[in-house]
Amino acid sequence: MPPPVFRFAPSPNGYLHLGHAYSALLNFDLARRTGGRFLLRIEDIDATRCRAEFEAAIYEDLAWLGISWETPVRRQSEHFARYREAVEKLAGLGLIYPSFESRAEIARLVAQREACAPWPRDPDGAPLYPGAAKSLSPNERSRLIEQGMPYALRLDMAAARARTNALTWIEHGEGPDGETGVVVAQPEAWGDVILARKETPTSYHLSVVIDDALQGVTDVVRGRDLFWSTSVHLLLQQLLGIPQPIYRHHRLIEDASGNKLSKSTQATALRELRGQGALPADIRSLVGLPDESPNTTGGC
């Protein structure tokens, strides 16, 4: 049997905090305990927010924590052609369509609908796509694209589900409501998700399943905030004919108010803690991981 393959895949759009440290250390520890491999992947498809200084800090922080990884590191921005191939494959199956509404227009459409009744929202709380782009004729779509209109490429969820079998996964960790064991995927809860945009030929959902398959990742160990995203990932795996890894979702590191640590809320960065005199062992203690030495083991 080949060794298991784990990965840590941060986005360089800010400095790493304790939540990132927990996930990275947990994956690294599991790889060491099982005789597996540990990969680092840089998810830098968002050119407007990702910066070289943040990527450099990721390498510095992980090395300080005592984490080592295989090289070369896969950087998603270097593989847009591969993601574009996947979009074209799905388009060839009739599962992709462009939508042209701006975020402001979508918000207006949602407000109009919610004036009559609650509008459905995805597991992250965002409203499902309310537009009518799916009904545009091919000629109209071509005309708008030729005019240079910005667009998002969406997955026709109803058509995609019609092509796929029942979707389940075995959860080896725990979901946000304690879900474990066999879980029935619910990709419909996400509506017609965006898989690419005019300026970026991929999305998180698309690139993550392609990268995991190409890199041979066998065990996806990540925060439970991504638990229901697994439904979309299973759907894409089946549509694209790529393998399904083992999924294990872990607890989140929260602040004093019980909220998930986030770059957007200015969570204390690892580099700040290091500057205050913290040691790698202190970080392990803060996130509830045991000190890992050749003669110790720990759980999550």
Side-chain angles (χ1 to χ4, degrees), residues 184-273:
V184 177
Q186 302 173 32
E188 305 87 357
W190 294 91
D192 290 358
V193 293
I194 293 174
L195 294 186
R197 295 184 183 275
K198 175 184 178 181
E199 68 280 6
T200 306
T202 190
S203 64
Y204 164 72
H205 291 308
L206 183 66
S207 55
V208 74
V209 298
I210 291 174
D211 287 348
D212 284 343
L214 289 177
Q215 293 189 285
V217 172
T218 61
D219 293 68
V220 172
V221 181
R222 60 190 182 189
R224 63 180 55 147
D225 54 325
L226 293 169
F227 180 81
W228 287 114
S229 295
T230 309
S231 294
V232 177
H233 301 168
L234 265 62
L235 177 65
L236 291 174
Q237 287 158 2
Q238 193 169 123
L239 291 170
L240 295 169
I242 55 182
Q244 176 182 320
I246 294 169
Y247 286 100
R248 178 176 179 176
H249 294 87
H250 60 68
R251 61 183 172 86
L252 302 176
I253 304 299
E254 300 175 337
D255 61 20
S257 301
N259 298 313
K260 181 190 77 167
L261 295 183
S262 170
K263 296 171 187 172
S264 63
T265 58
Q266 306 301 309
T268 303
L270 292 179
R271 63 195 298 106
E272 288 185 50
L273 295 171

Coordinates of all heavy atoms in Angstrom, one line a residue, residues 184-273:
V184 N -24.7 12.0 3.9 CA -25.3 12.1 2.6 C -25.0 13.6 2.1 O -25.3 14.5 2.8 CB -26.8 11.9 2.7 CG1 -27.4 12.2 1.3 CG2 -27.1 10.5 3.1
A185 N -24.3 13.7 1.0 CA -23.9 15.0 0.5 C -25.2 15.7 0.0 O -26.1 15.1 -0.5 CB -22.9 14.8 -0.7
Q186 N -25.1 17.0 0.1 CA -26.3 17.9 -0.3 C -25.8 19.0 -1.2 O -25.9 20.2 -0.8 CB -27.0 18.4 0.9 CG -27.5 17.3 1.8 CD -28.1 17.9 3.1 OE1 -28.7 19.0 3.2 NE2 -28.0 17.1 4.2
P187 N -25.2 18.7 -2.4 CA -24.7 19.8 -3.2 C -25.8 20.8 -3.6 O -25.5 22.0 -3.9 CB -24.1 19.1 -4.4 CG -24.8 17.8 -4.4 CD -25.1 17.4 -3.0
E188 N -27.1 20.4 -3.7 CA -28.1 21.3 -4.1 C -28.3 22.5 -3.1 O -28.7 23.5 -3.5 CB -29.5 20.5 -4.1 CG -29.5 19.2 -4.9 CD -29.0 18.0 -4.2 OE1 -28.6 18.1 -3.0 OE2 -29.0 16.9 -4.8
A189 N -27.8 22.3 -1.9 CA -27.9 23.4 -0.9 C -27.0 24.6 -1.3 O -27.3 25.7 -0.8 CB -27.4 22.9 0.5
W190 N -26.1 24.4 -2.3 CA -25.3 25.5 -2.7 C -25.8 26.2 -4.0 O -25.2 27.2 -4.4 CB -23.9 25.0 -3.0 CG -23.2 24.5 -1.8 CD1 -23.2 23.2 -1.2 CD2 -22.4 25.3 -0.8 NE1 -22.5 23.2 -0.1 CE2 -22.0 24.4 0.2 CE3 -22.0 26.6 -0.8 CZ2 -21.2 24.8 1.3 CZ3 -21.2 27.0 0.2 CH2 -20.8 26.2 1.3
G191 N -26.8 25.7 -4.6 CA -27.4 26.3 -5.8 C -26.4 26.2 -6.9 O -25.5 25.3 -7.0
D192 N -26.5 27.0 -7.9 CA -25.6 27.0 -9.1 C -24.3 27.7 -8.7 O -24.1 28.9 -9.0 CB -26.3 27.7 -10.3 CG -27.4 26.9 -10.8 OD1 -27.7 25.8 -10.3 OD2 -28.1 27.4 -11.8
V193 N -23.4 27.0 -8.1 CA -22.1 27.5 -7.6 C -21.2 28.1 -8.8 O -21.3 27.6 -9.9 CB -21.3 26.5 -6.8 CG1 -22.0 26.1 -5.6 CG2 -21.0 25.3 -7.7
I194 N -20.4 29.1 -8.5 CA -19.5 29.6 -9.4 C -18.3 28.7 -9.5 O -17.7 28.4 -8.5 CB -19.1 31.0 -9.0 CG1 -20.3 32.0 -9.2 CG2 -17.9 31.5 -9.9 CD1 -20.0 33.4 -8.7
L195 N -17.9 28.3 -10.7 CA -16.7 27.5 -10.9 C -15.5 28.2 -11.5 O -14.4 27.8 -11.5 CB -17.0 26.3 -11.7 CG -18.0 25.2 -11.1 CD1 -18.1 24.0 -12.0 CD2 -17.6 24.8 -9.7
A196 N -15.8 29.4 -12.1 CA -14.8 30.2 -12.7 C -15.3 31.6 -13.0 O -16.6 31.8 -13.0 CB -14.2 29.5 -14.0
R197 N -14.5 32.5 -13.3 CA -14.9 33.8 -13.7 C -14.1 34.2 -15.0 O -13.1 33.6 -15.4 CB -14.6 34.9 -12.6 CG -15.4 34.6 -11.4 CD -15.2 35.7 -10.3 NE -15.9 35.5 -9.1 CZ -17.2 35.9 -8.9 NH1 -17.9 36.5 -9.9 NH2 -17.8 35.6 -7.7
K198 N -14.5 35.3 -15.6 CA -13.9 35.8 -16.8 C -12.4 36.0 -16.6 O -11.6 35.6 -17.4 CB -14.5 37.1 -17.3 CG -13.9 37.7 -18.5 CD -14.5 39.1 -18.8 CE -13.8 39.8 -20.0 NZ -14.4 41.1 -20.3
E199 N -12.1 36.6 -15.5 CA -10.7 36.9 -15.2 C -9.9 35.8 -14.5 O -8.7 35.9 -14.5 CB -10.6 38.2 -14.4 CG -11.1 38.1 -13.0 CD -12.6 38.2 -12.8 OE1 -13.3 38.2 -13.9 OE2 -13.1 38.3 -11.7
T200 N -10.6 34.9 -13.9 CA -9.9 33.8 -13.2 C -10.6 32.5 -13.6 O -11.7 32.2 -13.3 CB -10.1 34.0 -11.7 OG1 -9.6 35.3 -11.3 CG2 -9.3 32.9 -10.9
P201 N -9.9 31.6 -14.3 CA -10.5 30.4 -14.9 C -10.7 29.3 -13.9 O -10.6 28.1 -14.3 CB -9.5 30.0 -16.0 CG -8.2 30.4 -15.5 CD -8.5 31.7 -14.7
T202 N -10.9 29.6 -12.6 CA -11.2 28.5 -11.6 C -11.8 29.2 -10.4 O -12.0 30.4 -10.3 CB -9.9 27.8 -11.3 OG1 -10.2 26.7 -10.5 CG2 -8.9 28.7 -10.5
S203 N -12.1 28.3 -9.4 CA -12.6 28.8 -8.1 C -12.1 27.9 -7.1 O -11.4 26.9 -7.4 CB -14.2 28.7 -8.1 OG -14.5 27.3 -8.3
Y204 N -12.3 28.2 -5.8 CA -11.9 27.3 -4.7 C -12.4 25.9 -4.9 O -11.6 24.9 -4.9 CB -12.3 27.8 -3.4 CG -12.2 26.7 -2.3 CD1 -10.9 26.4 -1.8 CD2 -13.3 26.1 -1.8 CE1 -10.8 25.4 -0.8 CE2 -13.2 25.1 -0.8 CZ -12.0 24.7 -0.4 OH -11.8 23.7 0.6
H205 N -13.7 25.7 -5.2 CA -14.3 24.4 -5.3 C -13.6 23.6 -6.4 O -13.3 22.4 -6.2 CB -15.8 24.5 -5.6 CG -16.6 25.0 -4.4 ND1 -16.5 24.4 -3.2 CD2 -17.5 26.0 -4.4 CE1 -17.4 25.1 -2.4 NE2 -18.0 26.0 -3.1
L206 N -13.4 24.2 -7.6 CA -12.9 23.5 -8.7 C -11.4 23.1 -8.5 O -11.0 22.0 -8.7 CB -13.1 24.3 -10.0 CG -12.6 23.6 -11.3 CD1 -13.5 22.4 -11.6 CD2 -12.7 24.6 -12.4
S207 N -10.6 24.1 -8.1 CA -9.2 23.9 -8.0 C -8.8 22.9 -6.9 O -7.8 22.1 -7.1 CB -8.4 25.2 -7.8 OG -8.9 26.0 -6.7
V208 N -9.5 22.9 -5.8 CA -9.2 22.1 -4.7 C -9.3 20.6 -5.1 O -8.5 19.8 -4.7 CB -9.9 22.5 -3.4 CG1 -11.4 22.0 -3.5 CG2 -9.3 21.8 -2.2
V209 N -10.4 20.3 -5.8 CA -10.6 18.8 -6.1 C -9.6 18.4 -7.2 O -9.1 17.3 -7.2 CB -12.1 18.6 -6.6 CG1 -13.1 18.9 -5.5 CG2 -12.4 19.3 -7.8
I210 N -9.3 19.3 -8.1 CA -8.3 18.9 -9.2 C -6.9 18.8 -8.5 O -6.2 17.8 -8.8 CB -8.3 20.0 -10.3 CG1 -9.6 19.9 -11.1 CG2 -7.1 19.8 -11.2 CD1 -9.8 21.0 -12.1
D211 N -6.5 19.7 -7.7 CA -5.2 19.6 -7.1 C -5.1 18.4 -6.2 O -4.0 17.7 -6.2 CB -4.9 20.9 -6.2 CG -4.7 22.1 -7.1 OD1 -4.5 21.9 -8.3 OD2 -4.7 23.2 -6.5
D212 N -6.1 18.1 -5.4 CA -6.0 16.9 -4.5 C -5.8 15.6 -5.3 O -5.1 14.8 -5.0 CB -7.3 16.8 -3.6 CG -7.3 17.8 -2.5 OD1 -6.2 18.3 -2.2 OD2 -8.4 18.0 -1.9
A213 N -6.5 15.6 -6.5 CA -6.4 14.4 -7.3 C -5.0 14.3 -8.0 O -4.4 13.3 -8.0 CB -7.5 14.4 -8.4
L214 N -4.6 15.4 -8.5 CA -3.3 15.5 -9.2 C -2.1 15.2 -8.3 O -1.1 14.6 -8.7 CB -3.1 16.8 -10.0 CG -4.0 17.0 -11.2 CD1 -3.7 18.4 -11.8 CD2 -3.7 16.0 -12.3
Q215 N -2.3 15.7 -7.0 CA -1.2 15.5 -6.1 C -1.3 14.2 -5.3 O -0.4 13.9 -4.5 CB -1.1 16.7 -5.1 CG -0.8 18.0 -5.8 CD -0.6 19.1 -4.7 OE1 -1.5 19.6 -4.1 NE2 0.7 19.4 -4.5
G216 N -2.3 13.4 -5.6 CA -2.5 12.1 -4.9 C -2.8 12.2 -3.5 O -2.5 11.3 -2.7
V217 N -3.5 13.3 -3.1 CA -3.9 13.5 -1.7 C -4.9 12.4 -1.3 O -5.9 12.3 -2.0 CB -4.4 14.9 -1.4 CG1 -5.0 15.0 0.0 CG2 -3.4 15.9 -1.7
T218 N -4.6 11.6 -0.3 CA -5.5 10.6 0.2 C -6.3 11.0 1.4 O -7.4 10.4 1.5 CB -4.7 9.3 0.6 OG1 -3.8 9.7 1.7 CG2 -3.8 8.8 -0.6
D219 N -5.9 11.9 2.2 CA -6.5 12.3 3.4 C -6.7 13.8 3.5 O -5.6 14.5 3.6 CB -5.8 11.8 4.6 CG -5.8 10.3 4.8 OD1 -5.2 9.6 3.9 OD2 -6.4 9.8 5.7
V220 N -7.9 14.3 3.4 CA -8.2 15.7 3.5 C -8.6 16.0 4.9 O -9.6 15.6 5.4 CB -9.2 16.2 2.5 CG1 -9.6 17.6 2.8 CG2 -8.8 16.0 1.1
V221 N -7.7 16.7 5.6 CA -8.0 17.0 7.0 C -8.0 18.5 7.1 O -7.0 19.2 6.9 CB -6.8 16.5 8.0 CG1 -7.1 16.8 9.4 CG2 -6.7 15.0 7.7
R222 N -9.2 19.1 7.4 CA -9.4 20.5 7.4 C -10.5 20.9 8.3 O -11.2 20.1 8.9 CB -9.8 20.9 5.9 CG -11.1 20.3 5.4 CD -11.3 20.6 4.0 NE -12.6 20.0 3.4 CZ -12.9 20.0 2.2 NH1 -12.1 20.4 1.2 NH2 -14.0 19.4 1.8
G223 N -10.7 22.2 8.5 CA -11.7 22.7 9.5 C -13.1 22.4 9.2 O -13.5 22.3 8.0
R224 N -13.9 22.3 10.2 CA -15.3 21.9 10.0 C -16.1 23.0 9.3 O -17.3 22.8 8.9 CB -16.0 21.4 11.3 CG -16.1 22.5 12.4 CD -16.7 21.9 13.6 NE -16.1 20.7 14.1 CZ -16.0 20.4 15.4 NH1 -16.5 21.2 16.3 NH2 -15.4 19.3 15.8
D225 N -15.6 24.2 9.2 CA -16.3 25.2 8.4 C -16.4 24.9 7.0 O -17.2 25.5 6.2 CB -15.6 26.6 8.6 CG -14.1 26.6 8.2 OD1 -13.4 25.5 8.5 OD2 -13.6 27.6 7.7
L226 N -15.5 23.9 6.5 CA -15.6 23.4 5.1 C -16.3 22.1 5.0 O -16.3 21.5 3.9 CB -14.2 23.3 4.6 CG -13.4 24.6 4.4 CD1 -11.9 24.3 4.1 CD2 -14.0 25.4 3.3
F227 N -17.0 21.7 6.1 CA -17.7 20.4 6.1 C -18.7 20.3 4.9 O -18.6 19.3 4.1 CB -18.4 20.2 7.4 CG -19.1 18.9 7.5 CD1 -18.4 17.7 7.9 CD2 -20.5 18.8 7.4 CE1 -19.1 16.5 8.0 CE2 -21.2 17.6 7.5 CZ -20.4 16.5 7.8
W228 N -19.6 21.2 4.8 CA -20.6 21.1 3.7 C -20.1 21.4 2.3 O -20.7 21.0 1.3 CB -21.8 21.9 4.1 CG -22.6 21.2 5.2 CD1 -22.8 21.7 6.4 CD2 -23.3 19.9 5.2 NE1 -23.6 20.8 7.2 CE2 -23.8 19.7 6.4 CE3 -23.4 18.9 4.2 CZ2 -24.5 18.6 6.8 CZ3 -24.1 17.8 4.5 CH2 -24.6 17.6 5.8
S229 N -18.9 22.0 2.2 CA -18.3 22.2 0.9 C -18.0 20.8 0.3 O -17.9 20.7 -0.9 CB -17.0 23.0 1.0 OG -17.3 24.4 1.4
T230 N -17.8 19.8 1.2 CA -17.5 18.5 0.7 C -18.6 18.0 -0.3 O -18.3 17.2 -1.2 CB -17.3 17.5 1.9 OG1 -16.4 18.1 2.8 CG2 -16.8 16.2 1.5
S231 N -19.8 18.4 -0.1 CA -20.9 18.0 -1.0 C -20.6 18.4 -2.4 O -20.8 17.6 -3.4 CB -22.2 18.6 -0.5 OG -22.6 18.1 0.7
V232 N -20.2 19.7 -2.6 CA -19.8 20.1 -3.9 C -18.6 19.4 -4.5 O -18.5 19.1 -5.7 CB -19.6 21.7 -3.9 CG1 -19.2 22.2 -5.3 CG2 -20.8 22.4 -3.5
H233 N -17.6 19.2 -3.6 CA -16.4 18.5 -4.0 C -16.7 17.1 -4.5 O -16.1 16.6 -5.5 CB -15.4 18.5 -2.9 CG -15.0 19.9 -2.5 ND1 -14.3 20.2 -1.3 CD2 -15.4 21.1 -3.0 CE1 -14.2 21.5 -1.2 NE2 -14.8 22.1 -2.2
L234 N -17.6 16.4 -3.8 CA -17.9 15.0 -4.2 C -18.6 15.0 -5.6 O -18.4 14.2 -6.5 CB -18.8 14.3 -3.2 CG -18.1 13.4 -2.2 CD1 -17.1 14.2 -1.3 CD2 -19.2 12.7 -1.3
L235 N -19.5 16.0 -5.8 CA -20.2 16.2 -7.1 C -19.2 16.4 -8.2 O -19.3 15.7 -9.2 CB -21.2 17.3 -7.0 CG -21.9 17.6 -8.2 CD1 -22.9 16.5 -8.6 CD2 -22.8 18.9 -8.1
L236 N -18.2 17.3 -8.0 CA -17.3 17.6 -9.1 C -16.4 16.4 -9.3 O -16.0 16.1 -10.4 CB -16.4 18.8 -8.7 CG -17.2 20.1 -8.7 CD1 -16.3 21.2 -8.1 CD2 -17.6 20.5 -10.1
Q237 N -16.0 15.7 -8.3 CA -15.2 14.5 -8.4 C -15.9 13.4 -9.3 O -15.2 12.8 -10.2 CB -14.8 13.9 -7.1 CG -13.8 14.7 -6.3 CD -13.9 14.4 -4.8 OE1 -14.7 13.6 -4.3 NE2 -13.1 15.2 -4.0
Q238 N -17.2 13.2 -9.1 CA -17.9 12.3 -9.9 C -18.0 12.7 -11.3 O -17.8 12.0 -12.3 CB -19.2 12.0 -9.3 CG -19.9 10.7 -9.9 CD -21.1 10.3 -9.1 OE1 -22.2 10.2 -9.7 NE2 -21.0 10.0 -7.8
L239 N -18.3 14.0 -11.5 CA -18.5 14.5 -12.9 C -17.2 14.5 -13.7 O -17.2 14.2 -14.9 CB -19.0 16.0 -12.8 CG -20.4 16.2 -12.3 CD1 -20.6 17.7 -12.1 CD2 -21.4 15.7 -13.3
L240 N -16.0 14.7 -13.0 CA -14.7 14.8 -13.6 C -14.0 13.4 -13.6 O -13.0 13.3 -14.2 CB -13.9 15.8 -13.0 CG -14.3 17.3 -13.1 CD1 -13.5 18.2 -12.2 CD2 -14.3 17.7 -14.6
G241 N -14.6 12.4 -13.0 CA -14.0 11.1 -12.9 C -12.7 11.0 -12.2 O -11.8 10.4 -12.6
I242 N -12.6 11.7 -11.0 CA -11.4 11.7 -10.2 C -11.7 11.1 -8.9 O -12.9 11.1 -8.4 CB -10.8 13.1 -10.1 CG1 -11.8 14.1 -9.5 CG2 -10.3 13.6 -11.4 CD1 -11.3 15.5 -9.4
P243 N -10.7 10.6 -8.2 CA -10.9 9.8 -6.9 C -11.4 10.7 -5.8 O -11.1 11.9 -5.7 CB -9.6 9.2 -6.7 CG -8.6 10.1 -7.3 CD -9.3 10.6 -8.6
Q244 N -12.1 10.1 -4.9 CA -12.6 10.7 -3.6 C -11.6 10.4 -2.5 O -11.4 9.2 -2.2 CB -14.0 10.3 -3.3 CG -14.5 10.8 -2.0 CD -15.9 10.2 -1.7 OE1 -16.7 10.1 -2.6 NE2 -16.1 9.9 -0.4
P245 N -11.0 11.4 -1.9 CA -10.1 11.1 -0.7 C -10.9 10.8 0.5 O -12.2 10.9 0.5 CB -9.3 12.4 -0.6 CG -10.2 13.5 -1.1 CD -11.1 12.8 -2.2
I246 N -10.2 10.5 1.6 CA -10.8 10.4 2.9 C -11.0 11.8 3.5 O -10.1 12.6 3.4 CB -9.9 9.5 3.8 CG1 -9.8 8.1 3.3 CG2 -10.4 9.6 5.3 CD1 -8.8 7.2 4.0
Y247 N -12.1 12.0 4.1 CA -12.4 13.4 4.7 C -12.4 13.3 6.2 O -13.1 12.4 6.8 CB -13.7 14.0 4.2 CG -13.5 14.4 2.7 CD1 -14.0 13.7 1.7 CD2 -12.9 15.7 2.5 CE1 -13.9 14.1 0.4 CE2 -12.8 16.1 1.1 CZ -13.2 15.3 0.1 OH -13.1 15.7 -1.2
R248 N -11.8 14.2 6.8 CA -11.7 14.3 8.3 C -11.7 15.8 8.7 O -10.8 16.5 8.4 CB -10.5 13.7 8.8 CG -10.3 13.7 10.3 CD -9.0 13.0 10.7 NE -8.8 13.0 12.2 CZ -7.8 12.3 12.7 NH1 -7.0 11.6 12.0 NH2 -7.6 12.4 14.1
H249 N -12.8 16.3 9.2 CA -13.0 17.7 9.5 C -12.7 17.9 11.0 O -13.2 17.1 11.9 CB -14.4 18.2 9.1 CG -14.5 18.2 7.6 ND1 -15.0 17.2 6.9 CD2 -14.3 19.2 6.7 CE1 -15.0 17.5 5.6 NE2 -14.6 18.7 5.5
H250 N -12.0 18.9 11.4 CA -11.5 19.1 12.7 C -12.2 20.3 13.4 O -12.7 21.2 12.7 CB -10.0 19.1 12.8 CG -9.4 20.3 12.1 ND1 -9.5 21.6 12.4 CD2 -8.5 20.2 11.0 CE1 -8.8 22.4 11.5 NE2 -8.2 21.5 10.7
R251 N -12.1 20.4 14.7 CA -12.6 21.6 15.4 C -11.9 22.9 14.9 O -10.8 22.8 14.4 CB -12.4 21.4 16.9 CG -11.0 21.3 17.3 CD -10.9 21.0 18.8 NE -9.5 20.7 19.2 CZ -8.6 21.6 19.5 NH1 -8.9 22.9 19.5 NH2 -7.4 21.3 19.9
L252 N -12.6 24.0 15.2 CA -12.0 25.3 14.9 C -11.4 25.9 16.1 O -11.9 25.7 17.2 CB -13.1 26.2 14.3 CG -13.8 25.7 13.0 CD1 -14.9 26.6 12.6 CD2 -12.8 25.5 11.9
I253 N -10.4 26.7 15.9 CA -9.8 27.5 17.0 C -10.6 28.8 17.1 O -10.7 29.5 16.1 CB -8.3 27.8 16.8 CG1 -7.6 26.4 16.6 CG2 -7.7 28.6 18.0 CD1 -7.6 25.5 17.8
E254 N -11.1 29.1 18.2 CA -12.0 30.3 18.4 C -11.4 31.3 19.3 O -10.5 31.1 20.1 CB -13.4 29.8 18.9 CG -14.1 28.8 18.1 CD -15.4 28.2 18.7 OE1 -15.5 28.3 19.9 OE2 -16.2 27.8 17.9
D255 N -11.9 32.6 19.1 CA -11.5 33.7 20.0 C -12.3 33.7 21.3 O -13.1 32.8 21.5 CB -11.6 35.0 19.2 CG -13.0 35.3 18.8 OD1 -14.0 34.8 19.4 OD2 -13.2 36.2 17.9
A256 N -12.1 34.7 22.1 CA -12.7 34.7 23.4 C -14.2 34.8 23.3 O -15.0 34.5 24.2 CB -12.2 35.9 24.2
S257 N -14.7 35.3 22.1 CA -16.2 35.5 21.9 C -16.8 34.2 21.3 O -18.0 34.2 21.0 CB -16.4 36.7 21.0 OG -15.9 37.9 21.6
G258 N -16.0 33.2 21.0 CA -16.5 32.0 20.4 C -16.6 32.0 18.9 O -17.2 31.1 18.3
N259 N -15.9 33.0 18.3 CA -15.9 33.1 16.8 C -14.7 32.5 16.3 O -13.6 32.5 16.9 CB -16.1 34.5 16.4 CG -17.3 35.2 16.9 OD1 -18.4 34.6 16.7 ND2 -17.2 36.4 17.5
K260 N -14.8 31.9 15.1 CA -13.7 31.3 14.4 C -12.6 32.4 14.1 O -12.9 33.5 13.7 CB -14.1 30.7 13.0 CG -13.0 30.0 12.3 CD -13.5 29.7 10.9 CE -13.5 30.9 10.0 NZ -13.6 30.5 8.5
L261 N -11.4 32.0 14.4 CA -10.3 33.0 14.0 C -10.3 33.2 12.5 O -10.4 32.3 11.7 CB -8.9 32.4 14.5 CG -8.7 32.2 16.0 CD1 -7.3 31.8 16.3 CD2 -9.0 33.5 16.8
S262 N -10.0 34.4 12.1 CA -10.1 34.8 10.7 C -9.1 35.9 10.4 O -8.9 36.8 11.3 CB -11.5 35.2 10.3 OG -11.5 35.7 9.0
K263 N -8.5 35.9 9.2 CA -7.6 37.0 8.8 C -8.4 38.3 8.7 O -7.9 39.3 9.0 CB -7.0 36.6 7.4 CG -6.1 35.4 7.4 CD -5.7 35.1 6.0 CE -4.9 33.8 6.0 NZ -4.7 33.3 4.6
S264 N -9.7 38.1 8.3 CA -10.5 39.3 8.1 C -10.9 40.0 9.4 O -11.2 41.2 9.4 CB -11.8 38.9 7.3 OG -12.6 38.0 8.1
T265 N -10.8 39.3 10.5 CA -11.1 40.0 11.8 C -9.8 40.3 12.6 O -9.8 40.5 13.8 CB -12.0 39.0 12.7 OG1 -11.3 37.8 12.8 CG2 -13.3 38.8 12.0
Q266 N -8.7 40.3 11.8 CA -7.4 40.6 12.4 C -7.0 39.7 13.6 O -6.5 40.2 14.6 CB -7.4 42.1 12.9 CG -7.8 43.1 11.8 CD -6.9 43.0 10.6 OE1 -5.7 43.1 10.7 NE2 -7.4 42.9 9.4
A267 N -7.2 38.4 13.4 CA -6.7 37.5 14.4 C -5.2 37.6 14.6 O -4.5 37.8 13.7 CB -7.1 36.1 14.0
T268 N -4.8 37.4 15.9 CA -3.4 37.6 16.1 C -2.5 36.6 15.3 O -2.8 35.4 15.3 CB -3.1 37.3 17.6 OG1 -3.9 38.2 18.4 CG2 -1.6 37.6 17.9
A269 N -1.6 37.2 14.6 CA -0.8 36.4 13.7 C 0.3 35.6 14.4 O 0.8 36.1 15.5 CB -0.1 37.3 12.6
L270 N 0.7 34.5 13.9 CA 1.8 33.7 14.5 C 3.1 34.5 14.6 O 3.8 34.4 15.6 CB 2.1 32.5 13.7 CG 1.0 31.4 13.6 CD1 1.5 30.2 12.7 CD2 0.7 30.9 15.0
R271 N 3.3 35.4 13.6 CA 4.6 36.2 13.7 C 4.5 37.2 14.9 O 5.6 37.5 15.4 CB 4.8 36.9 12.4 CG 3.7 37.9 12.0 CD 3.8 38.3 10.5 NE 5.0 38.9 10.1 CZ 6.0 38.4 9.4 NH1 5.9 37.1 9.0 NH2 7.1 39.1 9.1
E272 N 3.3 37.6 15.2 CA 3.2 38.5 16.4 C 3.5 37.7 17.7 O 4.2 38.2 18.6 CB 1.8 39.1 16.4 CG 1.6 40.2 15.4 CD 0.2 40.8 15.6 OE1 -0.1 41.2 16.8 OE2 -0.6 40.9 14.6
L273 N 2.9 36.5 17.8 CA 3.2 35.7 18.9 C 4.6 35.4 19.1 O 5.2 35.4 20.2 CB 2.3 34.4 18.9 CG 0.8 34.6 18.9 CD1 0.1 33.3 18.6 CD2 0.4 35.2 20.3

